[in-house]
Amino acid sequence: MQLFLADLISPSRSVPRTAATAPRPHPVPPPVSFSQPALFDIPRTFHLCGTVQDLGRRADPHLVAWADQFTRRHAARLGWKHAVTWRARVGVTAALGLLQVPGAYLVPVDIAFMTQITQSLNHVTAILTTAGLLKGERLDSAIVWAHQQITSLPAPMAREVRTWLTTMSQGRLEPPRRRPRSADTIRSTLSWALPALNQWAAAGRTSLREITPHDVRTVRLPTGGSRRALLQGLHSLFRILKDQHMVFTDPTTGMKTGSHPATIPLPLDPGRIRDALTSTNIEQAVLCALVAFHALTVRQLQHLTLTDYTPSHPLGPRLTIGGRHVPLAAPVADRLDAYLAHRHRTWPTTANPHLFLNRATATTATAQVNHTWIASCLGPHLTARDLRTDRILYEAHTTGGDPKILTVLFGLGLNSSLRYTRTVTHPALDTVRPDGQS
């Protein structure tokens, strides 16, 4: 067995060559015939890995030449502009410099480090995965964020939190079984528990086994913090660790976290909805129309594709949502047509099939817009949730409070439908949306 030491391969290679001096075609790199485990698990930093140019010089020149050609073909297929292509080529070259031995593969940990040195991480990841140079599932941004947050904790405590992260993200098949949780749930739960973890680490605690109920009760809340959220985060953490026999007791046992207070759905100001519908911002107008008229969720907006919209249907424009064919209101169809014209003018060569695009997703093959982009398009005074609530509330009042109608039209469960129909007899909501929107 041959032993290689990291970062000692230093062929003279820096950044991708220009198109005028592009290398001749190279064959696909042969499969790896060996695997060398790491002797030491050392976090990657700029101090150890150097700059982008240093990583490029460290990469294997033959592999870089082949990957550079693959990147340019990938960029041409997706219609990338020159600047986007160049950034992706530089990022791929730097990523190959992270390989510690000849013939090895990149892993998600390497890509997590790349967030510090490139702004084209999504493009670099897609290229390396398609080229077969990146193995393993890509780490979710919430998981990467979580690992960054616990680096300052003592090693035993950080190891316990990582066990919780693994169980939350991947689930557990052995008893006690657990379902995987979403990235948003993991991020919010850990953010609730972090103030306590940091205070215990500063007080000299090295493991969560040392924590007592008194320690939990005396945690100082950060500005704007909630005791209920803190207890929910800690309860999730200790419950999983206790199930896996990593702590002896759960110090949060018997501490009531409370429940979220019940809320009454309220209508929005019709003037703000009207302003968004008539806005010169095409994205704002079409997003507001889809939610205000048809109560689409953020997830449904994200997953809409070009083939879901049928403008020339014999019975009028249709939108396919979750297998259902929804007849579109005329104002919605008009705004969708205007947006499609804008989309074609802005990204005429994009290969992304999703209906809604932005600068980040238009240069990818499958990426969808995130909820942050949708929120920014709707503006500071409107949210997709409030618009959807307003639409369902209006339907509940105009149909006499029949929960079955809400279930069929909007896919709500019985309890959610009843939450809206109960407002029909509320004295403050006798007249909802006097503007007469349907």
Side-chain angles (χ1 to χ4, degrees), residues 70-80 85 126-127 130 349-352 363-365:
F70 186 92
T71 301
R72 285 189 276 120
R73 290 195 299 268
H74 182 87
R77 180 170 58 86
L78 296 180
W80 289 359
T85 303
I127 292 169
T130 307
T349 59
T350 181
N352 195 317
T363 54
T364 65

Side-chain angles (χ1 to χ4, degrees), residues 78 306 343 350-354 356-357 361-368:
L78 296 180
L306 293 173
R343 181 186 188 275
T350 181
N352 195 317
H354 286 95
F356 293 110
L357 299 178
T361 62
T363 54
T364 65
T366 58
Q368 61 195 24

Side-chain angles (χ1 to χ4, degrees), residues 8-9 44 47 68 81 95 102 119 123 155-156 160 199 242 267 281 284 289 301 320 335 349 363 381 407 426 435:
L8 293 185
I9 304 171
R44 298 188 185 275
H47 176 70
D68 187 52
K81 296 181 179 180
Q119 297 178 349
H123 298 332
E160 292 161 349
Q199 290 178 35
K242 188 173 185 295
N281 185 324
Q284 182 184 24
L301 292 172
T320 303
R335 286 162 177 79
T349 59
T363 54
H381 303 298
T407 301
H426 197 285
D435 57 331

